[in-house]
């Protein structure tokens, strides 16, 4: 088609309008609340709709709070938790994805199906299941007591929160990893083996470089929602010592009279994630260019 | 002054209490009647709230359908709800709020659109009035208003009770498990127990910035629950952070479930919570494991019921308030909620005689003496409120 | 192609994968089992009963009015979202795949952006928008519907676009050669061939919306717009009985039923229309991520 007929533009129009109205414009609304003024009586946000008159004093205060003030702990903790959860998720997810990609037996479909099952189980139910198991008379707690481990899992423990994040997001890592590994051209690995490399060398020098872009993309794919997660902490801990950035956003927007702080944190989070997203987009483009079967 | 009236009436019914001179000192810091548009009432400067609409007319018929209530969790007996539903042939739908600030914010932005609000206190009242969310009451629908403790019929935060009718009485203190902590631990500086590393991971404080920060002020030696001194507020915030580092507390309002369940040993909470806790004890556990320490320096107050301006069923809303102010209904309600209804007919002696109060929780009852020494907790000026919130955010952000 | 994995490594990884599957599923299975607990505890077994499913007159799933409302709200929201997002998404997929010219990249970027935006950002932005800018939209069901459609739109586009790519332009071109207009080619040739992706997106969107928490929670307006995930969340923090387990089990059963019906529908359609792939291709359709 030389010039796109107006039919296709008409097709794209309703959806695009919808996304502009309910996806793009809301970000502008967030900015208007974040960079607006404060009502003196209620200390509530007064949005400033004219970008020319945006007021950045609140923003600089929030930034200061994040870098050296009370919110610094939350910011650092969120990054640390997400990083640890990602590392553990990879340690669990990569071998499984690798096995799935390479195993061409009859069981493959069964494994795939069983791995996909957690997708279709509500995230809250999966967390609820662990809340039950980890409570003071829960099955897991009682089990661990047999080994002398007398730990209060639900009493504000960072370990519980990180492991909760892992449990919640690992399924979302395995599938993209599997997709990446499945697309690799295994003939190249066979060629390396034929040329004398042992399996470890073949893995290190051929498999890893070829799948790196896909790995990065998959990692970022679960890091993004993890950074905004707040209910994992809410369900498994609810203690200030494990407070994450998402909890602060939820608090300011839903339980306080100061939504402007929440709006500011949303903007900070979005910018941070945009940087991550640009890595993601670069990796997916790289991955698409790499040799596939 | 409201407290003195209340005490006098109760002194007559319960006999022989001296009204102390500490009353004046114990009242909260005075502040102006209006400031920046907020109508703030204090015991020293009671306020008659502005009225922008007329109350509903007399003699209207009850609406049908559903009555929407905004309430705390577990703050009305399901049996009472069922009784009201049967009596008036309607359904009741309850939305829950966890903190007062959240409730006020959601009422203002339209998330919540109830007919009746239960359990609100005067710290939220000023904002609700300024945001024009409430409607004045028509007392002809509330004959049981006469049952309310006489000292509370003309409260400082709402002279002539134009908008509110008292609901429950309570005081802030520390609930604990007697099988883990002995009463003597509170003998010295009782609040200090919350900073004791012995209870690390087994401790909690209220998710309420006014209550918990004030508690820190008291622990530091102050006695102003409405402090506007930036230094005092800051030190209270630092004390809370110190507590966080020392004992890793949880911050919620679930003490009434978690303490009886054995998941935590001690929490700074509202006195009525410990009575609610009795029901959450596992089978066969003696209520004697629940204890409460009622500090000398603490906040003691009442919450109330009010009706929103946009209520779709205002007559029913009035009926509910009247219903809950009836002595028998209030007693039934109390069986589940645990708190003390703010009714003249339900005295401490009567409660003690009913033998529903465990021995270990007698201290949790709000007696006239406790109300006398108790401090008032009023709405803060916006700038001062901002200081409090700043310290609270620093504490909860970990 | 010969599978070159050595026997030793294969058996170790098999244990790993079974270990993972057990760790992943057993907690949920235990939670389901405890929904049949006789007592109030969710952690101590006190005997088998259907008390929390339908017997208890106040607190069981089928007799508690709050839980019933939550179930109804969830189903209505999911179906309503489906009805709106499916035609919108199909049109958007077809349109964005075929438009040319300036702005195409922008539109395509806009279409993919929600996929990589965390839900909390979308939820927060929509909450602020509906309370400050588009104040005509009331919070509650309306806002939740708009929010869920926005969030699921991109998934539909991804699924449909993948199918469009694999179909290719040849069928429509053949139809046009035989005299059909562009619109007729679309309606009678392309759309029927898109049917499996429509089925797949119905399944995916239904499951996404019925499980959705953040957006639905941010845009809710009290108990009248409470869905099952919201009910579970607010109950875990206080007053939870095994009815909660039962409610969650119901949710999972619903998602699975829709999934299995969808899978069977897909593979039947494929068989009948002579496309290969069977179950595996159906699975692939349904789990299409941005990979």
């Amino acid at each position: 088609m030389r010039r796109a007929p107006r039919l296709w533009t008409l097709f794209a129009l309703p959806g695009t309008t919808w996304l502009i109205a309910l996806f793009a414009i809301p970000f502008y609304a967030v900015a208007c609340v974040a960079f607006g003024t404060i009502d003196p009586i209620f200390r509530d946000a007064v949005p400033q709709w004219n970008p020319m008159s945006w007021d950045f004093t609140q923003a600089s205060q929030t930034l200061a709070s994040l870098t050296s003030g009370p919110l610094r702990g939350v910011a650092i903790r969120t990054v640390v938790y997400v990083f640890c959860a990602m590392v553990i998720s990879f340690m669990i997810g990569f071998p499984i994805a690798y096995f799935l990609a390479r195993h061409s037996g009859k069981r493959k479909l069964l494994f795939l199906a069983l791995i996909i099952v957690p997708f279709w189980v509500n995230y809250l139910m999966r967390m609820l299941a662990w809340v039950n198991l980890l409570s003071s008379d829960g099955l897991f707690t009682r089990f661990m007591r047999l080994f002398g481990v007398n730990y209060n899992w639900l009493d504000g423990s960072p370990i519980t929160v990180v492991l909760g994040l892992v449990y919640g997001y690992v399924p979302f890592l395995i599938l993209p990893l599997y997709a990446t590994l499945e697309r690799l051209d295994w003939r190249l690995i066979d060629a390396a083996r034929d040329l004398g490399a042992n399996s470890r060398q073949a893995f290190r020098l051929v498999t890893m470089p070829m799948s790196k872009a896909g790995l990065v993309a998959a990692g970022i794919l679960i890091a993004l929602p993890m950074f905004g997660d707040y209910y994992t902490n809410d369900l498994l801990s609810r203690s200030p010592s494990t407070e994450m950035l998402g909890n602060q956003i939820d608090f300011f927007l839903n339980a306080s009279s100061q939504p402007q702080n929440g709006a500011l944190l949303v903007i900070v989070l979005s910018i941070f994630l945009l940087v991550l997203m640009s890595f993601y987009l670069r990796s997916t483009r790289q991955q698409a260019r790499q040799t596939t079967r | 002054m409201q407290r003195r009236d209340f005490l006098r009436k109760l002194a007559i019914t319960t006999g022989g209490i001296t009204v102390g001179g500490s009353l004046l000192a114990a009242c909260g810091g005075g502040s102006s009647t209006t400031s920046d548009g907020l109508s703030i009432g204090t015991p020293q400067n009671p306020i008659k709230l502005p009225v922008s609409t007329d109350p509903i007319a007399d003699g209207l018929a009850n609406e049908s359908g559903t009555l929407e209530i905004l309430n705390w969790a577990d703050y009305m007996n399901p049996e009472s709800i069922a009784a009201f539903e049967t009596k008036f042939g309607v359904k009741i739908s309850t939305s829950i709020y966890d903190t007062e600030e959240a409730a006020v914010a959601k009422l203002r932005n339209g998330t919540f659109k109830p007919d009746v609000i239960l359990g609100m206190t005067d710290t939220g009242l000023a904002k609700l009035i300024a945001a024009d969310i409430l409607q004045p009451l028509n007392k002809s629908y509330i004959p049981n208003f006469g049952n309310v403790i006489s000292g509370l019929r003309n409260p400082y935060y709402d002279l002539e009770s134009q908008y509110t009718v008292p609901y429950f009485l309570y005081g802030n203190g520390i609930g604990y498990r007697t099988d883990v902590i002995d009463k003597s631990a509170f003998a010295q500086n009782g609040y200090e127990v919350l900073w004791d590393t012995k209870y690390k991971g087994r401790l909690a404080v209220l998710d309420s910035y006014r209550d918990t920060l004030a508690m820190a002020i008291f622990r530091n030696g102050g006695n102003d629950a409405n402090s506007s001194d930036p230094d005092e507020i800051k030190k209270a915030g630092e004390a809370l952070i110190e507590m966080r580092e020392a004992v890793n507390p949880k911050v919620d309002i679930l003490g009434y479930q978690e303490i009886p369940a054995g998941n935590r040993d001690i929490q700074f909470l509202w006195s009525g919570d410990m009575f609610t806790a009795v029901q959450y004890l596992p089978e066969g556990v003696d209520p004697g494991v629940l204890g409460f320490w009622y500090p000398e320096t603490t906040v003691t107050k009442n919450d109330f019921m009010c009706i929103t301006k946009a209520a779709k069923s205002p007559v029913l809303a009035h009926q509910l308030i009247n219903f809950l102010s009836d002595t028998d209904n209030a007693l039934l309600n109390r069986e589940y909620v645990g708190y003390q209804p703010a009714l003249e007919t339900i005295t401490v002696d009567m409660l003690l005689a009913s033998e529903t109060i465990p021995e270990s929780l007698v201290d949790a009852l709000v007696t006239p003496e406790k109300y006398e020494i108790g401090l008032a907790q009023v709405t803060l000026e916006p700038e001062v409120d901002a200081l409090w919130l700043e310290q609270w955010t620093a504490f909860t952000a970990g | 192609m010969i599978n070159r994995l050595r026997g030793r490594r294969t058996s170790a990884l098999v244990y790993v994968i079974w270990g993972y599957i057990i760790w992943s599923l057993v907690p949920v299975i235990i939670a389901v089992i405890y929904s049949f607990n006789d007592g109030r505890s969710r952690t101590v077994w006190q005997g088998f009963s259907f008390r929390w499913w339908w017997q208890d007159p106040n607190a069981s799933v089928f007799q508690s009015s709050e839980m019933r409302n939550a179930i109804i709200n969830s189903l209505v929201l999911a179906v309503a979202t489906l009805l709106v997002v499916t035609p919108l998404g199909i049109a958007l997929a077809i349109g964005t795949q075929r438009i040319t010219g300036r702005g195409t990249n922008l539109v395509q970027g806009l279409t993919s952006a929600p996929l990589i935006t965390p839900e909390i950002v979308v939820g927060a932005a929509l909450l602020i928008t509906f309370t400050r800018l588009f104040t005509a939209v009331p919070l509650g069901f309306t806002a939740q519907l708009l929010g869920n459609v926005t969030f699921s739109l991109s998934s539909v586009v991804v699924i449909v676009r993948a199918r469009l790519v694999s179909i290719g332009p040849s069928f429509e071109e053949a139809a046009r050669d035989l005299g059909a207009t562009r619109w007729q080619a679309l309606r009678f040739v392309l759309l029927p061939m898109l049917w499996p992706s429509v089925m797949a997106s119905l399944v995916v969107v239904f499951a996404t919306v019925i499980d959705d928490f953040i957006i639905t929670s941010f845009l809710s307006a009290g108990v009248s717009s409470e869905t099952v995930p919201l009910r579970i969340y607010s109950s875990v923090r206080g007053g939870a009985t095994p009815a909660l387990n039962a409610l969650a089990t119901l949710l999972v059963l619903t998602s699975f039923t829709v999934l299995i019906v969808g899978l069977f529908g897909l593979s039947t359609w494929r068989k009948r229309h002579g496309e290969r792939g069977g179950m595996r291709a159906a699975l692939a359709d349904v789990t299409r991520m941005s990979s």
Side-chain angles (χ1 to χ4, degrees):
Chain A
M1 293 172 239
R2 261 153 307 162
R3 194 175 59 93
R6 237 169 272 137
L7 184 65
W8 306 136
T9 321
L10 275 174
F11 263 73
L13 203 57
T16 313
T17 318
W18 184 288
L19 283 175
I20 292 178
L22 291 175
F23 186 77
I25 290 186
F27 280 102
Y28 170 68
V30 173
C32 292
V33 166
F35 303 131
T37 50
I38 301 188
D39 176 307
I41 303 180
F42 297 102
R43 304 212 67 86
D44 191 1
V46 176
Q48 174 54 259
W49 301 111
N50 181 355
M52 294 297 147
S53 324
W54 276 351
D55 175 14
F56 293 99
T57 49
Q58 283 278 309
S60 50
Q61 277 173 3
T62 306
L63 262 172
S65 178
L66 276 168
T67 44
S68 56
L71 288 180
R72 179 158 173 250
V74 184
I76 295 180
R77 186 182 306 124
T78 309
V79 173
V80 169
Y81 283 7
V82 173
F83 181 73
C84 292
M86 283 230 318
V87 167
I88 300 177
S89 300
F90 264 98
M91 285 181 359
I92 297 177
F94 187 82
I96 292 172
Y98 188 81
F99 176 79
L100 267 182
R102 294 285 271 152
H103 183 92
S104 48
K106 274 176 294 183
R107 293 259 195 93
K108 184 165 181 172
L109 195 61
L110 172 69
F111 284 137
L112 257 181
L114 286 175
I115 301 258
I116 287 175
V117 163
F119 268 104
W120 299 86
V121 177
N122 187 296
Y123 188 96
L124 284 179
M125 177 176 204
R126 297 166 65 223
M127 286 303 135
L128 172 68
W130 275 104
V131 169
N132 291 344
L133 291 173
L134 293 175
S135 64
S136 48
D137 55 351
L139 284 171
F140 186 77
T141 318
R142 284 189 266 163
F143 178 70
M144 291 304 270
R145 265 192 221 130
L146 295 174
F147 297 102
V149 176
N150 217 345
Y151 189 66
N152 294 323
W153 298 98
L154 294 179
D155 283 338
S157 152
I159 301 176
T160 312
V161 177
V162 171
L163 288 180
L165 284 172
V166 170
Y167 184 77
Y169 288 98
V170 137
F172 298 98
L173 182 67
I174 293 184
L175 272 192
L177 277 184
Y178 163 72
T180 304
L181 292 172
E182 215 211 2
R183 280 195 214 146
L184 290 187
D185 192 346
W186 296 106
R187 292 174 302 183
L188 291 172
I189 307 209
D190 290 338
R193 300 290 300 277
D194 286 341
L195 289 171
N198 65 31
S199 55
R200 209 164 293 161
Q201 284 171 321
F203 184 82
R204 195 164 52 88
L205 298 168
V206 182
T207 314
M208 281 308 286
M210 279 206 296
S211 52
K212 199 163 65 117
L215 259 60
V216 170
I220 293 179
L221 197 66
I222 61 164
L224 289 175
M226 264 201 228
F227 275 111
D229 187 291
Y230 67 93
Y231 45 79
T232 308
N233 176 40
D234 248 355
L235 290 169
L236 294 175
S237 167
R238 226 186 311 127
S239 158
S241 61
T242 54
E243 184 99 343
M244 293 177 68
L245 197 62
N247 294 105
Q248 286 287 297
I249 295 179
D250 171 49
F251 167 70
F252 282 121
L253 285 173
N254 286 319
S256 86
S257 48
Q258 301 164 305
Q260 61 274 19
N261 291 350
L264 280 163
L265 288 178
V266 166
I267 290 185
V268 168
L269 181 67
S270 302
I271 294 180
F272 176 73
L273 294 179
L274 265 174
V275 171
L276 278 187
M277 276 189 247
S278 64
F279 277 119
Y280 170 80
L281 290 169
R282 220 159 39 119
S283 300
T284 39
R285 246 171 251 147
Q286 248 185 312
Q287 187 193 18
R289 266 187 263 124
Q290 275 171 352
T291 325
T292 54
R293 203 179 295 146
Chain B
M1 190 168 296
Q2 311 320 309
R3 282 179 191 260
R4 202 173 268 162
D5 281 334
F6 164 65
L7 296 173
R8 212 167 276 146
K9 292 290 159 55
L10 269 174
I12 294 172
T13 27
T14 58
I17 306 172
T18 47
V19 175
S22 56
L23 190 60
L24 263 171
C27 282
S31 79
S32 51
T33 42
T34 54
S35 146
D36 299 1
L38 279 184
S39 312
I40 301 177
T42 69
Q44 284 168 336
N45 292 303
I47 187 170
K48 182 150 188 257
L49 296 169
V51 177
S52 60
T53 39
D54 291 322
I56 57 173
D58 290 347
L60 296 173
N62 297 331
E63 301 92 352
S64 58
T66 310
L67 181 66
E68 310 266 348
I69 300 183
L70 183 63
N71 198 0
W72 299 84
D74 298 314
Y75 214 49
M76 187 170 165
N77 192 343
E79 285 179 35
S80 303
I81 294 180
F84 186 86
E85 285 178 333
T86 321
K87 181 169 180 187
F88 289 91
V90 294
K91 284 231 52 115
I92 288 188
S93 163
T94 311
S95 291
I96 305 283
Y97 63 102
D98 292 324
T99 65
E100 205 171 78
E101 302 72 64
V104 172
K106 289 188 178 170
L107 283 164
R108 285 189 59 230
N109 76 8
T111 308
F112 286 147
K113 293 199 185 77
D115 295 308
V116 190
I117 307 172
L118 298 178
M120 183 61 61
T121 70
D122 64 304
T123 46
L125 183 60
K127 285 197 184 165
L128 291 178
I129 296 291
D132 205 22
I133 290 180
L134 302 179
Q135 65 167 276
L137 303 173
N138 180 337
K139 300 268 188 14
S140 71
Y141 293 100
I142 313 178
N144 287 330
F145 185 72
N147 289 345
V148 171
I149 292 176
S150 54
L152 292 180
R153 284 186 217 149
N154 204 11
Y156 63 83
Y157 52 82
D158 182 18
L159 281 177
E160 293 174 29
S161 282
Q162 295 180 104
Y163 289 95
T164 64
V165 173
Y167 190 36
F168 284 121
L169 288 173
Y170 62 92
N172 296 350
I174 300 184
Y176 62 95
R177 299 254 337 178
T178 55
D179 50 356
V180 173
I181 306 177
D182 187 68
K183 211 172 175 170
S184 57
F186 300 98
Q188 282 291 346
N189 181 357
Y191 287 117
E192 201 61 43
V193 181
L194 296 170
W195 272 257
D196 192 339
T197 49
K198 230 189 323 179
Y199 309 114
K200 186 169 181 135
R202 305 285 300 169
L203 189 156
V205 290
L206 272 177
D207 187 5
S208 165
Y209 74 106
R210 291 298 308 276
D211 293 313
T212 307
L213 255 179
M215 182 270 289
I217 291 181
F218 302 148
R219 178 256 188 181
N220 285 348
N223 67 354
D224 188 357
N226 310 291
S227 173
S228 49
D229 175 2
D231 223 28
E232 193 174 32
I233 301 169
K234 188 156 198 298
K235 290 222 172 64
E238 283 164 9
L240 285 181
I241 294 182
E242 197 193 308
M243 182 212 280
R244 188 186 72 210
E245 307 297 317
V247 294
N248 194 6
K250 295 235 188 174
V251 181
D252 62 34
I253 56 172
L254 299 174
Y256 66 94
Q257 291 176 353
E258 301 293 297
I259 295 183
N263 293 332
R264 61 178 74 141
D265 297 327
I266 180 172
Q267 173 158 9
F268 171 69
L269 39 63
W270 299 303
S271 60
D273 275 347
M274 290 317 282
F275 294 118
T276 328
V278 175
Q279 305 173 58
Y280 286 87
L281 287 168
E283 293 258 329
V285 177
D286 178 51
V289 303
L290 300 173
F292 185 80
W293 174 65
Y294 204 118
E296 275 201 21
T297 316
T298 189
V299 168
T300 304
K301 64 193 290 187
N302 65 287
D303 54 31
F304 50 74
M305 317 180 250
C306 50
I307 304 182
T308 60
K309 199 166 176 181
K312 292 193 211 77
S313 312
V315 182
L316 269 182
H318 282 84
Q319 296 290 5
L320 181 70
I321 295 181
N322 190 46
F323 180 84
L324 289 170
S325 303
D326 168 78
T327 308
D328 294 319
N329 293 337
L331 281 171
L332 176 65
N333 200 13
R334 185 192 158 268
E335 271 176 35
Y336 181 83
V337 177
Y339 283 65
Q340 279 166 256
L343 301 183
E344 196 133 273
T345 39
I346 301 181
T347 63
V348 166
D349 277 346
M350 175 208 204
L351 292 174
L352 285 170
S354 70
E355 294 190 8
T356 53
I357 309 280
E359 175 92 33
S360 52
L361 289 179
V362 171
D363 273 349
L365 287 171
V366 180
T367 61
E369 298 92 55
K370 295 209 183 98
Y371 198 85
E372 172 195 356
I373 345 178
L375 301 169
Q377 187 187 55
V378 304
T379 310
L380 297 170
E381 312 250 354
E383 308 83 45
V384 179
D385 208 33
L387 290 174
W388 280 65
L389 279 168
E390 198 188 326
Q391 293 304 317
W392 180 250
T393 313
F395 166 59
T396 53
Chain C
M1 211 192 92
I2 304 169
N3 188 333
R4 287 291 207 105
L5 285 175
R6 282 206 224 115
R8 200 160 38 94
R9 199 194 300 161
T10 314
S11 57
L13 277 181
V14 169
Y15 288 130
V16 168
I17 212 177
W18 278 115
Y20 168 76
I21 290 175
I22 291 175
W23 172 68
S24 175
L25 297 178
V26 163
V28 175
I29 295 175
I30 294 179
V32 172
I33 293 176
Y34 270 85
S35 71
F36 297 103
N37 196 8
D38 197 26
R40 280 192 73 108
S41 170
R42 288 174 296 142
T43 46
V44 178
W45 186 254
Q46 292 158 310
F48 184 95
S49 104
F50 285 107
R51 175 177 171 193
W52 304 105
W53 282 89
W54 58 70
Q55 281 173 353
D56 191 303
N58 287 319
S60 65
V61 173
F62 286 114
Q63 298 223 39
S64 153
S65 55
E66 287 116 9
M67 299 218 186
R68 273 205 317 265
N69 277 337
I71 296 173
I72 293 174
N73 284 341
S74 277
L75 289 174
V76 170
L77 184 64
V79 171
T81 308
L82 274 180
L83 292 176
V84 175
V85 86
T86 310
L88 206 59
I90 296 175
L92 189 59
I94 298 176
T96 53
Q97 201 226 3
R98 291 160 182 212
I99 54 177
T100 56
R102 292 175 285 129
T104 307
N105 279 334
L106 204 61
V107 171
Q108 285 176 345
L110 183 63
T111 312
S112 321
L115 280 173
I116 46 180
T117 315
E119 243 192 293
I120 195 175
V121 171
V122 178
L126 282 174
L127 175 64
I128 290 179
T129 308
F130 290 141
T131 50
R132 306 283 172 165
L133 185 53
F134 300 147
T135 46
V137 178
L139 291 177
F141 176 74
T142 319
Q144 289 169 332
L145 174 63
L146 294 178
N148 275 293
V149 169
T150 311
F151 197 66
S152 327
L153 192 55
S154 312
S155 312
V156 177
V157 170
V158 165
I159 295 174
V160 173
R161 190 188 285 160
R163 178 95 182 135
L164 277 175
V165 165
S166 76
I167 292 175
S170 42
F171 295 95
E172 277 166 283
E173 278 169 15
R176 300 208 51 222
D177 285 342
L178 293 170
T181 66
R182 218 179 297 277
W183 169 247
Q184 284 172 323
L186 187 80
R187 217 187 120 203
F188 297 110
V189 176
L190 182 63
L191 284 182
M193 298 187 72
L194 280 180
W195 183 233
S197 63
V198 173
M199 264 196 275
S201 59
L202 286 178
V203 172
V204 169
V205 171
F206 185 88
T208 309
V209 174
I210 224 179
D211 282 345
D212 183 71
F213 176 72
I214 298 186
I215 289 183
T216 314
S217 163
F218 268 65
L219 300 175
S220 77
V223 85
S224 58
S225 48
E226 203 177 47
T227 60
V228 174
L230 264 59
R231 178 106 215 124
I232 295 177
Y233 185 76
S234 61
S235 303
V236 174
R237 285 130 122 250
T241 60
L244 204 62
N245 293 26
L247 194 62
T249 309
L250 206 60
L251 193 64
V252 171
L253 281 176
T254 315
S255 302
F256 269 99
T257 312
V258 171
L259 172 65
I260 292 175
V261 165
L263 282 177
F264 271 108
L266 272 172
S267 68
T268 315
W269 190 96
R270 291 189 111 93
K271 251 179 255 157
R272 214 182 298 155
H273 288 75
E275 293 187 30
R276 61 164 186 80
M279 247 334 155
R280 191 176 297 191
L283 262 176
D285 265 348
V286 160
T287 57
R288 197 156 298 277
M289 307 285 289
S290 354
S291 46

